[in-house]
Amino acid sequence: MASDITLFVNPTAGRGRGARAAQPAARALRDAGFSVRTVLGVDAEDALARARRAVGGGTGALVVVGGDGMVSLALQAVAGTTTPLGVVAAGTGNDFARTLGLPVREPAAAARLAADALKGGGARAVDLGRVTVGTRTRWYGTVLASGFDSRVNDRGNRMRLPVGRFKYDLAILAELAAFKPVPYRLAFDDGRVLEVDATLVAVGNGTSYGGGMRICADARTDDGLLDVTVVGDCDRTTLIKVFPRVYRGTHLDHPKVTTHRVRSLTLDAPGTTGYADGERLGSLPLAVECAPGALRVLAPPVPPTGAPPSTSPQ
């Protein structure tokens, strides 16, 4: 067990919660006997370069303090290495932490859990998704979104006001007024090809996105497979009725929803952008595969299928 830990901090996460969470997290790690080095970046590119240097230099763990965007950066540094990842969830959505059953917005508790796992040799292997768009490859931990949900992201990212999740609620309303299903082509690793007009297609390594929307509610991070949720040709009335069920994961039994479990697939739809872990990937087509055991994570055992991954305060 290496005694040094790198705290990878996004001070702007959750409108400042990241900065406030860093101090109690660092204190809890030091109280557990670890030396802590804090890494900040001037921008995402600089932060990733610093995280990679820490991993390459042999840090005992990379512990993220922030939201899913910061976790996404950290994955690019630690995936495929032996360096374990800890998560002190302090963002807006925190879906990666929810999927792994980690505390949300409880920085000291999350840091103590990471320290206990390190001391006990408790880092466990979990799967990641690996997506290729053109010549670029990126790792992700939660859900790859495309269609209605990615259009909401596109619109929300263009909006300067309001701030926080309310911005995306307004983006949903705006997209509902204008959205029409688009033709998708999905080619699965077992040779099946699905051509369907769909409202959205989500590819889950984890269960949720958007701060607890359990779009791939049955996904597991330890089965070597990706869960694909296809919401078919819905009119606006149907979509409005189905949408609230996503928070409970009960949308999966709706007749307009189909699911598939695959090792890899290619995904194409005209005029459609892909997002993974809330980060923009670029326009479809893209290829996605599950990378079994690609990440060592400081987290408790995977929750049973269908169970809510965390009971921490939202």
Side-chain angles (χ1 to χ4, degrees):
M1 177 191 73
S3 62
D4 72 294
I5 289 177
T6 300
L7 209 59
F8 190 41
V9 180
N10 179 4
T12 65
R15 287 177 284 176
R17 280 192 298 267
R20 294 191 295 273
Q23 187 173 2
R27 185 184 307 118
L29 292 169
R30 291 189 177 105
D31 288 347
F34 293 94
S35 61
V36 179
R37 175 174 175 263
T38 300
V39 168
L40 299 169
V42 296
D43 55 27
E45 183 178 357
D46 180 57
L48 177 56
R50 291 170 184 261
R52 283 175 167 158
R53 284 198 294 271
V55 171
T59 187
L62 189 68
V63 178
V64 175
V65 182
D68 289 322
M70 201 64 172
V71 170
S72 179
L73 269 184
L75 292 180
Q76 313 316 309
V78 299
T81 76
T82 59
T83 303
L85 179 73
V87 180
V88 176
T92 301
N94 304 308
D95 287 288
F96 190 72
R98 295 174 198 276
T99 290
L100 295 177
L102 294 170
V104 172
R105 299 176 190 165
E106 298 179 69
R112 285 193 296 268
L113 188 153
D116 290 346
L118 275 171
K119 285 184 171 182
R124 61 181 175 85
V126 297
D127 306 338
L128 290 176
R130 184 164 49 207
V131 56
T132 302
V133 184
T135 60
R136 295 179 295 108
T137 299
R138 188 173 183 89
W139 301 93
Y140 75 95
T142 56
V143 175
L144 185 153
S146 72
F148 177 77
D149 41 11
S150 64
R151 289 176 187 270
V152 168
N153 261 323
D154 281 339
R155 183 179 289 271
N157 290 342
R158 293 193 300 267
M159 296 167 60
R160 298 183 63 184
L161 293 173
V163 296
R165 290 180 61 182
F166 186 56
K167 173 171 66 174
Y168 291 93
D169 292 338
L170 291 181
I172 287 170
L173 293 175
E175 285 299 325
L176 277 172
F179 185 76
K180 294 181 180 179
V182 296
Y184 275 85
R185 186 180 192 275
L186 287 73
F188 301 124
D189 60 282
D190 60 6
R192 289 177 297 145
V193 175
L194 177 65
E195 294 185 349
V196 59
D197 286 347
T199 300
L200 66 86
V201 175
V203 184
N205 177 63
T207 54
S208 70
Y209 60 5
M213 291 188 289
R214 304 185 70 230
I215 187 69
C216 298
D218 292 337
R220 293 183 63 87
T221 58
D222 64 349
D223 63 358
L225 299 170
L226 298 168
D227 278 37
V228 183
T229 300
V230 180
V231 179
D233 185 354
C234 291
D235 57 32
R236 283 190 290 271
T237 301
T238 301
L239 189 57
I240 289 168
K241 288 180 179 178
V242 172
F243 186 77
R245 297 173 58 178
V246 176
Y247 287 94
R248 302 186 301 275
T250 57
H251 63 292
L252 296 182
D253 61 8
H254 191 278
K256 288 289 186 179
V257 178
T258 58
T259 60
H260 311 267
R261 191 162 283 161
V262 299
R263 290 182 174 84
S264 64
L265 73 155
T266 58
L267 180 64
D268 196 8
T272 302
T273 304
Y275 282 79
D277 291 340
E279 301 298 306
R280 192 179 192 277
L281 299 170
S283 299
L284 276 56
L286 52 79
V288 198
E289 62 180 322
C290 181
L295 176 69
R296 296 180 67 230
V297 68
L298 302 173
V302 179
T305 300
S310 175
T311 57
S312 302
Q314 306 305 306

